[in-house]
Amino acid sequence: MVEKKLDVICVGAAIVDIPLRPVSRDMFEIESFPLQQISMTIGGDAINEATIITRLGHKAALMSMVGKDAVGNFIIEHCEKNGIDYKGVKRREGIDTSINVGLVTADGERTFVTNRNGSLWKMTIDDVDLSRFSQARLLSLASIFNNPLLDCPALVKIFEEAKKNQMIICADMIKARLGETLEDIREALSYVDYFFPNYDEACMMTEETELEKIADKFLDCGIRNVVIKTGKDGCYIKSKDGSVLVVPAMKGITAIDTIGAGDNFASGFITAILDGKSLQECAEFANVTASISVQSIGATTGVQHKLQVKERLKEYYAQRE
């Protein structure tokens, strides 16, 4: 048996976010539109997860690809500062590290302006060091479709290697960038133990609107546990054995910025899995982690340590008494 030196390997995007807040539709009518804050923050699903999981007490490694540029340097410095294993971060000449400009409204909703020629769009299976999978307990494919060149055959190869090494597999998703359908990822999904789509993404992918029907379509692909993030309502979980859980969100939370909320939810859920918690407890921990995230600007600025989440968890349980 190979010693598991790592708890988690997070595969996916490592970029920089520049959130602009608050924006409104009339900003284009004004020559100079003043904002409360413009800042450069770490972003990208995989580095967000690696950051939060590390802060919550587990050893996380990042596998991504960035350019040999100032933005790439910023990402490496962040990994060093936060104790993230970044041996699996490939640096390529002639590649621009991706930057996302996040347009955030006053109520915390957001959209992104992205660089289609950046590193996020250029990452391939060759940037994933499969030889390190023997070192970790869990693999998180941070978001299906986020790196378009990590298509179904690439994901199957990644997941097959993970299963050879007895890894738990978690996966999130974003809306398909290139018009992919559920059939395009069906084989890859058959390897997944915990799947974390949000409601809108899940509706679009399954062409269903009822939570149970959405979950059933994903379960038909072979997923063991479908965890649908339902925003202010919390999450809905249906498992392979037919059991269902509806876990409410934290009450009384005013969202400042929802960028990275889903990544924080996944990070909290993964942390609880590694801690040996029940499915219910994993969802509760995930909801609370996300509730902290949305109260700060940026995907990784809110959650700083595990005690912070545990204290919020006490409040969460008190609300339900």
Side-chain angles (χ1 to χ4, degrees):
M1 291 289 292
V2 177
E3 181 186 357
K4 300 287 187 178
K5 298 178 181 179
L6 299 167
D7 293 310
V8 186
I9 292 175
C10 299
V11 176
I15 64 171
V16 161
D17 283 337
I18 301 179
L20 305 183
R21 177 188 180 275
V23 301
S24 63
R25 294 185 183 277
D26 62 2
M27 66 185 294
F28 296 101
E29 306 299 322
I30 302 171
E31 184 175 346
S32 178
F33 191 89
L35 297 176
Q36 293 177 5
Q37 183 177 6
I38 300 176
S39 57
M40 187 167 79
T41 64
I42 283 296
D45 44 33
I47 196 168
N48 289 345
E49 288 186 11
T51 301
I52 301 305
I53 291 167
T54 299
R55 289 179 185 167
L56 294 178
H58 290 286
K59 296 178 182 177
L62 173 65
M63 286 192 184
S64 189
M65 188 272 283
V66 300
K68 290 187 176 180
D69 54 15
V71 180
N73 292 341
F74 183 75
I75 287 168
I76 297 301
E77 289 167 7
H78 172 87
C79 291
E80 290 176 340
K81 180 179 178 182
N82 285 272
I84 299 166
D85 181 321
Y86 60 91
K87 294 174 187 173
V89 178
K90 299 287 182 69
R91 304 200 67 181
R92 286 204 213 164
E93 294 279 4
I95 294 286
D96 292 330
T97 305
S98 288
I99 298 173
N100 280 0
V101 178
L103 305 178
V104 187
T105 60
D107 61 359
E109 294 304 313
R110 80 286 190 269
T111 191
F112 290 105
V113 180
T114 66
N115 173 13
R116 190 160 183 168
N117 290 308
S119 56
L120 183 148
W121 289 80
K122 303 292 186 181
M123 182 177 174
T124 72
I125 185 69
D126 294 332
D127 297 309
V128 181
D129 186 357
L130 301 178
S131 69
R132 297 199 71 200
F133 283 15
S134 62
Q135 300 175 17
R137 298 163 55 194
L138 185 148
L139 172 74
S140 176
L141 195 293
S143 289
I144 294 172
F145 303 131
N146 203 13
N147 299 95
L149 297 182
L150 292 180
D151 56 10
C152 190
L155 294 179
V156 168
K157 186 175 179 180
I158 290 168
F159 292 160
E160 282 180 341
E161 190 62 29
K163 285 303 178 186
K164 285 179 187 175
N165 288 282
Q166 294 80 50
M167 298 177 82
I168 299 167
I169 297 178
C170 296
D172 204 332
M173 69 172 287
I174 65 166
K175 292 176 182 177
R177 293 185 182 274
L178 303 174
E180 298 95 337
T181 67
L182 186 60
E183 288 306 310
D184 292 324
I185 59 170
R186 178 177 292 275
E187 184 181 1
L189 291 178
S190 69
Y191 293 86
V192 175
D193 296 298
Y194 299 90
F195 188 47
F196 305 126
N198 72 33
Y199 176 73
D200 290 339
E201 295 159 353
C203 287
M204 187 172 292
M205 186 54 43
T206 62
E207 300 182 331
E208 298 286 355
T209 56
E210 294 179 28
L211 286 166
E212 185 172 13
K213 289 182 179 179
I214 292 169
D216 285 343
K217 276 208 171 180
F218 284 132
L219 289 169
D220 285 344
C221 295
I223 298 168
R224 261 60 77 193
N225 300 279
V226 177
V227 183
I228 303 172
K229 296 170 289 190
T230 52
K232 295 176 183 178
D233 293 327
C235 64
Y236 172 96
I237 304 173
K238 189 167 184 180
S239 300
K240 187 178 179 180
D241 63 6
S243 61
V244 173
L245 289 172
V246 178
V247 185
M250 183 90 186
K251 297 176 184 176
I253 300 298
T254 300
I256 295 174
D257 180 9
T258 59
I259 291 174
D263 298 336
N264 277 262
F265 177 95
S267 300
F269 206 104
I270 288 167
T271 296
I273 291 171
L274 293 167
D275 288 343
K277 301 297 184 181
S278 68
L279 199 56
Q280 173 88 26
E281 290 169 324
C282 288
E284 292 166 346
F285 197 86
N287 282 342
V288 168
T289 303
S291 79
I292 296 171
S293 167
V294 299
Q295 293 185 304
S296 298
I297 298 292
T300 61
T301 51
V303 176
Q304 294 296 318
H305 49 76
K306 199 168 196 173
L307 181 60
Q308 179 188 16
V309 181
K310 285 184 173 180
E311 289 300 317
R312 175 67 65 87
L313 196 60
K314 292 178 184 177
E315 297 175 31
Y316 176 78
Y317 287 137
Q319 290 180 347
R320 300 172 64 185
E321 290 179 354

